[in-house]
Amino acid sequence: MQARRLAKRSLLGSRVQGLAAAAGGLPRPGCKEAGSAATQLRLLLEEDARSVMHRRREHELEEPGHEAPEEDLCTQSPGTLHMDGQGLLKAGRKGSGSKREIVASPLQIDETHNEVSQKVPDQPSLLLGTREEDVKMAETKRHNCVYEHEKDNTRSICLLEQKRKVVSSNIDVPQARKSSEEAEMDKVTAAMVLTSLSTSPLVRSPPVRPNEGLNGSWKDGGYVPSSTGSSGYWSWNAPSDQSNPSTPSPPLSADSFKLFRPPAQSDDGIDEAEASSLLFDEPIPRKRKNSMKVMFKCLWKNCGKVLGTAAGIQKHIRTVHLGRTGDSEFSDGEEDFYYTEIRLNTDSVSEGLISVSPGSPCVASAPPLFPSQDAGHTETACAKAETKCMTPLSHSAPTTLYLVHTDHAYQATSPVNIPGSAKFTPNGNNFSISWQSPPVTFTGTPVSPKHTCTAGTGESKPPPHTVMSSPPRAVIGLRKPRGEGKKCRKVYGMENRDMWCTACRWKKACQRFVD
DNA sequence: GATGCCGGGAT
DNA sequence: ATCCCGGCATC
């Protein structure tokens, strides 16, 4: 999906470039009012097109043959058509920012079409009369297919020509830029939330204010697809939203940062609902964020350099991979494509432990590790933890298991019989107590024979811990030797079978007269 | 053979 | 889950 979007964007970029170049070389009659703004936009457009082309070259080297899906643009297009002068300007201006590209792409096309349309004098006249209708129709068409839109080039050009006129007449450059940036931040935040949610659907936690997730959430989403390791955290995410778990190439995974934005930015109707539904999951990354150490990994092929700061990794990419020298402060955001965040999470370890043994009192605090190490280490830690925890648990758990296994209703029906049992359990009071104590209602008493017999009917009895450590199931295989004491059958006789304990009636181990 | 009760079927 | 019984082990 991301790759396809990327490919599409690249394709658009190339188209834009061509059109922009053509527009730049031709004189434009009329439209003086829009001339300056259009020129600005064209410049931005060309700049962006260059950037896109550059990216495209890189991407095509690694991911050739991606087909651009139409729905991507369709999703973006409504925003384009409804955008006023500010919006368009914002989109154009975004070309100077790191987050501009997705938003700008459709607009670039529009703008390009606009410019081209100005070179076609006969088209605008056709449109002036049916302006509103064409806008709606074009919007519908965009939803259907962009390719079709392109084929119907003439029509679209006319439409965009109209829009451009409206836009250019309302442009107020300085203000628009500032406010748009602010608005963009909100949208970016929402996009980040979407991104993070789409990549970490596993965990659920109470909702938290979305704005707080600005730094953490989207980054979480970003590094997930780019991870090459297999920590518990990553592996959990992978099957949830990634159809292809294989290691992504740098540009592809890096694109995950930005390619999630368009929905939140461009389409307020559909995607807003989607976003709102997803926002419930947003707090998860934040929760993790608190205990994460963030590293930045270069996704450039065969690089994989990891740096501690975003600036560092950006500089690394710019200088080493993008071949840009100097002007380290300036960033068009392209570096973002080639690095991702790696979160060294200590929570993942503890989470794994918790998931393994929720009720375990053991707390394993593993040092921060890389994902690949995390998994193994988690297992090791768990193993150790379990080993450690077995000691406290072993005092009670086996008893519970055993009781569960053998505790039939007929065995627990008559706690009243304790006095009677006391008569028969003088020999069982020395060790069976340790693990039979839990049965408050004397339920466990019937169980004792098994252990007693395990120890041997003889008087030699194993130490209590032996009984505790060895699950009773080991004994189950062996048939228990008959108890020495009299049972209901013998006490009451066949004629008084009604007086038998239930167990005896059912030919089960007598619960009344326990050995 | 009598007794105890496990394993499993029937409801 | 409850009730019941076949069948085995043990005495």
Side-chain angles (χ1 to χ4, degrees), chain A residues 211-468:
Chain A
N211 286 339
E212 294 180 1
L214 179 61
N215 290 331
S217 59
W218 70 272
K219 291 175 180 177
D220 267 344
Y223 78 85
V224 168
S226 64
S227 68
T228 56
S230 61
S231 72
Y233 175 71
W234 270 274
S235 62
W236 290 349
N237 281 302
S240 61
D241 69 333
Q242 285 187 316
S243 57
N244 184 10
S246 64
T247 302
S249 62
L252 173 62
S253 57
D255 247 16
S256 63
F257 289 115
K258 298 178 178 178
L259 289 176
F260 278 97
R261 290 177 192 146
Q265 280 194 326
S266 60
D267 195 343
D268 294 337
I270 300 173
D271 291 314
E272 189 174 4
E274 185 182 10
S276 62
S277 65
L278 290 172
L279 280 175
F280 292 101
D281 297 337
E282 187 273 340
I284 295 126
R286 291 187 59 256
K287 181 182 177 183
R288 289 185 180 138
K289 169 191 166 189
N290 294 335
S291 59
M292 283 182 175
K293 182 181 180 181
V294 181
M295 301 292 284
F296 298 88
K297 180 181 181 179
C298 178
L299 296 173
W300 200 275
K301 217 170 184 179
N302 298 328
C303 179
K305 182 168 186 171
V306 177
L307 294 176
T309 63
I313 196 70
Q314 285 180 1
K315 188 174 182 179
H316 160 79
I317 291 168
R318 271 198 304 273
T319 57
V320 177
H321 299 309
L322 298 180
R324 297 180 185 178
T325 60
D327 196 14
S328 61
E329 292 300 315
F330 173 79
S331 168
D332 62 357
E334 185 166 356
E335 304 87 22
D336 293 346
F337 283 89
Y338 303 110
Y339 76 89
T340 187
E341 282 193 11
I342 299 173
R343 289 177 172 259
L344 310 179
N345 188 5
T346 55
D347 276 357
S348 61
V349 176
S350 56
E351 281 179 8
L353 283 175
I354 290 171
S355 65
V356 170
S357 57
S360 171
C362 301
V363 176
S365 60
L369 295 170
F370 279 95
S372 58
Q373 295 172 319
D374 244 350
H377 207 276
T378 301
E379 291 180 4
T380 310
C382 286
K384 291 178 180 176
E386 284 182 359
T387 314
K388 290 179 181 176
C389 297
M390 273 308 292
T391 304
L393 284 176
S394 61
H395 291 293
S396 57
T399 303
T400 306
L401 283 174
Y402 187 62
L403 290 175
V404 168
H405 177 74
T406 61
D407 186 3
H408 300 286
Y410 55 78
Q411 293 176 322
T413 47
S414 56
V416 186
N417 296 324
I418 294 175
S421 67
K423 183 176 65 180
F424 288 91
T425 55
N427 57 344
N429 59 357
N430 79 338
F431 75 92
S432 63
I433 264 181
S434 63
W435 55 274
Q436 281 190 342
S437 53
V440 181
T441 59
F442 205 65
T443 307
T445 310
V447 176
S448 65
K450 287 189 176 180
H451 288 282
T452 308
C453 298
T454 306
T457 340
E459 298 308 314
S460 64
K461 289 164 186 168
H465 66 270
T466 304
V467 177
M468 291 187 294

